[in-house]
Amino acid sequence: MKALARWCAVVALGAAMLGTAALAQSPASASSRPWWKGAVIYEIYPRSFQDSNGDGVGDINGITSRLDYLKSLGVDAIWLTPIYPSPQVDFGYDISNYDSIDPQYGTLQDFDHLVAEAKKRNIRIIMDLVLNHTSDKHPWFQESESSRNNPKRDWYIWRDGKGPGQPPNNWQSVFGHSAWQYDAKTKQWYYHKFYIQQPDLNWRNPAVRKAMYDVERFWIRRGVAGFRLDAITTLYEDPKLRDEGIVRDTSGKPVINAFGDPKLDDTRTNNLPQIHDVLRQLRKVADSYVGRHVVLIGETYVSSIADLRAMYGSHEDELELPMDMQVGFINKLDVNLFRRRLNEVETDIDGNEPLLIFDNHDNPRWDRYGDGVHNQDIGRVLATVLFASRGTALFYYGDEVGMVTTPPTRKADVRDPVGIVGWPKDKGRDGERTPMQWSAGANAGFSSPNAKTWLPIPPSYQTANVAVEEDKPASILTWYKELIRLKHTDAALHTGRQVMLNVNDPNVLSWLRIAPDGEAVVVACNFTAQPRKTSFDLESYGVRGKQLERLLETPGAQAPSSLTDVELPPFGVYVGRVK
Ligand code: GLC
């Protein structure tokens, strides 16, 4: 979660670069596909998107007021990180009531209004569902901790220690140190994969499972179009409570993590097979709302394509969209790795829909790929991989105007407890949660001019913001809008299958998209700081044309006219239709 390189967010005012070629007609197959296939989903961190009441914290009415902007961007759905009542220790991921809205974000009526207004614009709302744990202030936990005999005792994971002052085993919290917290009153320990204030639910208890399926029903009835399932791989733990293995370096020494603890292999607390039963059940509940196409998205940090494939289940009976962290979190511009992983996700997930993602509220923004010189163009390359690849695309608010990771500079300013525990090695996640940059005005248009915003407005707001970039042909915002428009309207980019091209090229990542009717589009991205040339021979793919019609290219680039003379500037992009 550490911020890496920074990028200069100055918006280049270069020559107009957008292709003006007529677009293919709307894909014919679109109506028969579920809405989420090939869709564009926008993640909103509600605290930071738009404040409507001047308290310095974003809220639901703020989001509603920005729906026209989201419509102009072309997003199909919004994923809201948790807005339920919460003590906000983990900014909403510690829920104290699953069936309501935290007053600082608004009311259930505000939420209904948001859903209705979004629907008018054909935008769907996706809720974050936190199933692994609750807040320690949730009434369920308060009952559970009240005595060993309480009927809700077994709703959480309580165990005896190994001996006086010793937790049951070596398991660690993702947020640092032991995952066990001692309760002096009942003289047992409870397990928390995340913060102490986020006790894990016991998913082996049928009453817990039922309660959570009821939560799912509650929000579907309220009109949501899907869920992003938080930390879904961590629901189950080894019932025998065996220690996890310690990860060692090549010399056999334990690897130490940012919190100063030995790194564990996560084998007893993550990705246990039982999670698949839960996914199937969540799916069944969703499918019982016939005709709604409620989508299940998973936060799936898994380490192989086989594990990712398993998340889909069979015939979409588990997650439809497990997040593919394999592509977006390569974290360096390694052309071979990008090619391999994009190919895997095309060929090794049983034809399911990939869900690509580059950043979110837990990770530094896309400027982590920057080299400090060409960041603007590197940003274009990443956005092109995201939107011009087959699949559903998920992106994080503010990326579309080039917002950069802005971590706190002093420990005293840190809001995210991860940063407080991990400082200075891990400064936490505040850097990627700063307020949305709407304009160069006071508080970047996020809140009223005199409000004290919950996190500071980054200096980049003066040049990287919606107002300054809107209608500027060379802006990042325009680049996003054009890519999203092409993804929706060009048949090959919308539904076409994908083949990686020139697979031995060490510099240029290129691929072909072919629509069911044979329409073909090539995409080429220069992954280096030097100009590169490339050429394509597409006959073996059944593509006969030799000429190219420009759809999109980096500002200042020369449009190629044929498949054999494509020239790309440093980190340049070219997207063209084969004629
Ligand atoms: C997920 C969320 C993260 C949260 C954690 C615990 O990883 O994305 O923000 O802190 O789960 O709920």
Side-chain angles (χ1 to χ4, degrees):
M1 297 184 196
K2 261 179 292 156
L4 303 169
R6 272 173 191 284
W7 77 318
C8 162
V10 176
V11 178
L13 296 174
M17 75 302 180
L18 300 173
T20 50
L23 291 171
Q25 289 159 0
S26 273
S29 55
S31 55
S32 55
R33 280 159 48 99
W35 68 268
W36 48 265
K37 283 199 181 183
V40 173
I41 304 176
Y42 187 83
E43 178 190 353
I44 289 183
Y45 199 67
R47 298 183 75 75
S48 295
F49 194 62
Q50 178 67 62
D51 174 20
S52 73
N53 62 0
D55 64 358
V57 176
D59 46 49
I60 294 174
N61 288 338
I63 297 170
T64 309
S65 74
R66 293 297 187 175
L67 285 172
D68 285 337
Y69 166 74
L70 296 173
K71 182 74 195 159
S72 75
L73 206 47
V75 307
D76 300 294
I78 303 165
W79 150 33
L80 301 175
T81 62
I83 48 177
Y84 316 90
S86 160
Q88 305 290 338
V89 172
D90 192 14
F91 296 111
Y93 283 95
D94 46 324
I95 298 171
S96 53
N97 176 359
Y98 283 81
D99 296 343
S100 191
I101 299 287
D102 194 299
Q104 71 178 305
Y105 299 132
T107 62
L108 275 171
Q109 286 65 40
D110 295 337
F111 178 79
D112 293 343
H113 182 58
L114 168 66
V115 172
E117 286 298 314
K119 192 172 179 191
K120 283 186 198 160
R121 294 160 177 87
N122 209 17
I123 295 175
R124 293 170 164 86
I125 304 295
I126 294 171
M127 288 291 262
D128 210 313
L129 196 51
V130 184
L131 300 173
N132 179 69
H133 48 266
T134 68
S135 160
D136 61 345
K137 299 291 180 288
H138 194 295
W140 299 340
F141 186 74
Q142 298 200 313
E143 282 190 48
S144 183
E145 70 175 348
S146 66
S147 88
R148 287 197 186 199
N149 304 323
N150 186 281
K152 290 225 163 43
R153 185 66 169 180
D154 189 48
W155 279 44
Y156 294 83
I157 300 172
W158 292 97
R159 295 290 182 274
D160 294 330
K162 263 189 186 161
Q166 284 178 13
N169 61 22
N170 76 344
W171 297 352
Q172 285 173 15
S173 158
V174 172
F175 294 153
H177 313 319
S178 173
W180 295 97
Q181 178 69 13
Y182 187 63
D183 173 49
K185 186 165 151 212
T186 59
K187 300 194 171 46
Q188 278 192 312
W189 302 73
Y190 71 83
Y191 173 68
H192 58 92
K193 179 80 177 170
F194 297 92
Y195 294 130
I196 292 169
Q197 296 87 343
Q198 292 170 304
D200 270 49
L201 285 160
N202 175 16
W203 273 83
R204 295 180 197 273
N205 183 328
V208 167
R209 297 201 295 269
K210 179 178 178 308
M212 283 308 195
Y213 301 140
D214 284 347
V215 171
E216 184 187 8
R217 290 189 185 94
F218 177 89
W219 290 100
I220 297 176
R221 284 200 291 265
R222 209 117 205 154
V224 308
F227 298 94
R228 176 266 190 184
L229 304 176
D230 180 67
I232 193 64
T233 60
T234 66
L235 298 190
Y236 286 89
E237 301 77 30
D238 176 27
K240 294 189 184 148
L241 259 58
R242 284 170 290 193
D243 276 353
E244 292 198 314
I246 293 174
V247 178
R248 296 177 188 278
D249 64 17
T250 43
S251 68
K253 272 208 245 117
V255 174
I256 302 299
N257 66 21
F259 307 105
D261 305 317
K263 189 170 157 57
L264 302 183
D265 63 12
D266 232 18
T267 49
R268 308 283 184 207
T269 59
N270 192 23
N271 213 4
L272 267 61
Q274 289 80 359
I275 59 172
H276 295 284
D277 297 334
V278 175
L279 293 178
R280 278 189 290 273
Q281 192 54 39
L282 289 163
R283 181 73 261 144
K284 269 193 196 148
V285 170
D287 287 347
S288 69
Y289 294 82
V290 179
R292 288 282 295 276
H293 295 293
V294 173
V295 71
L296 296 183
I297 299 174
E299 186 194 24
T300 42
Y301 287 99
V302 291
S303 51
S304 70
I305 191 75
D307 284 346
L308 184 69
R309 180 172 60 234
M311 293 295 161
Y312 289 93
S314 74
H315 305 293
E316 293 173 356
D317 67 348
E318 297 192 27
L319 299 175
E320 286 110 345
L321 296 174
M323 291 179 192
D324 180 349
M325 313 292 197
Q326 308 268 305
V327 173
F329 292 92
I330 290 173
N331 292 341
K332 54 183 175 181
L333 287 174
D334 178 330
V335 80
N336 294 318
L337 214 45
F338 267 83
R339 184 180 293 129
R340 178 149 63 81
R341 300 234 172 121
L342 283 167
N343 192 49
E344 274 177 357
V345 82
E346 185 62 18
T347 57
D348 291 0
I349 58 167
D350 297 338
N352 285 300
E353 194 74 356
L355 175 59
L356 297 186
I357 166 172
F358 275 92
D359 48 14
N360 59 25
H361 63 285
D362 294 326
N363 292 281
R365 287 181 180 270
W366 59 327
D367 52 309
R368 70 190 186 278
Y369 284 91
D371 66 355
V373 179
H374 305 91
N375 287 25
Q376 187 90 179
D377 288 321
I378 291 171
R380 286 193 172 88
V381 167
L382 296 171
T384 306
V385 173
L386 180 66
F387 296 113
S389 298
R390 189 181 77 86
T392 298
L394 172 51
F395 72 106
Y396 189 45
Y397 80 93
D399 280 351
E400 75 275 20
V401 292
M403 276 179 64
V404 294
T405 321
T406 315
T409 50
R410 303 180 317 163
K411 187 176 178 186
D413 297 333
V414 177
R415 301 293 308 270
D416 176 19
V418 170
I420 297 170
V421 181
W423 190 272
K425 273 196 177 164
D426 189 333
K427 294 183 175 149
R429 299 166 292 179
D430 294 350
E432 52 266 22
R433 297 174 174 181
T434 55
M436 175 68 181
Q437 298 170 191
W438 293 104
S439 73
N443 275 334
F446 160 72
S447 183
S448 35
N450 299 323
K452 183 168 166 27
T453 58
W454 83 280
L455 282 178
I457 309 284
S460 63
Y461 83 100
Q462 288 185 336
T463 48
N465 66 61
V466 173
V468 94
E469 293 184 40
E470 240 165 6
D471 306 322
K472 292 247 171 36
S475 71
I476 281 286
L477 181 56
T478 302
W479 186 260
Y480 267 68
K481 282 187 182 172
E482 281 300 307
L483 279 169
I484 293 171
R485 188 171 66 93
L486 287 168
K487 185 174 180 65
H488 282 135
T489 55
D490 180 88
L493 290 172
H494 186 63
T495 51
R497 67 189 173 89
Q498 175 156 337
V499 191
M500 302 314 288
L501 298 172
N502 298 347
V503 295
N504 295 318
D505 190 323
N507 306 308
V508 177
L509 182 75
S510 32
W511 64 97
L512 175 67
R513 302 288 309 278
I514 311 178
D517 69 357
E519 189 231 328
V521 168
V522 288
V523 184
C525 298
N526 181 356
F527 266 51
T528 73
Q530 287 79 42
R532 301 285 173 189
K533 282 190 180 171
T534 188
S535 91
F536 302 107
D537 178 356
L538 303 178
E539 262 177 38
S540 57
Y541 306 104
V543 177
R544 278 190 241 297
K546 294 270 183 273
Q547 306 302 308
L548 281 168
E549 176 189 327
R550 174 177 76 167
L551 296 178
L552 191 66
E553 69 191 327
T554 306
Q558 233 193 335
S561 58
S562 94
L563 284 167
T564 49
D565 74 345
V566 178
E567 283 183 38
L568 297 165
F571 299 105
V573 173
Y574 178 76
V575 184
R577 182 180 297 129
V578 185
K579 284 286 178 195

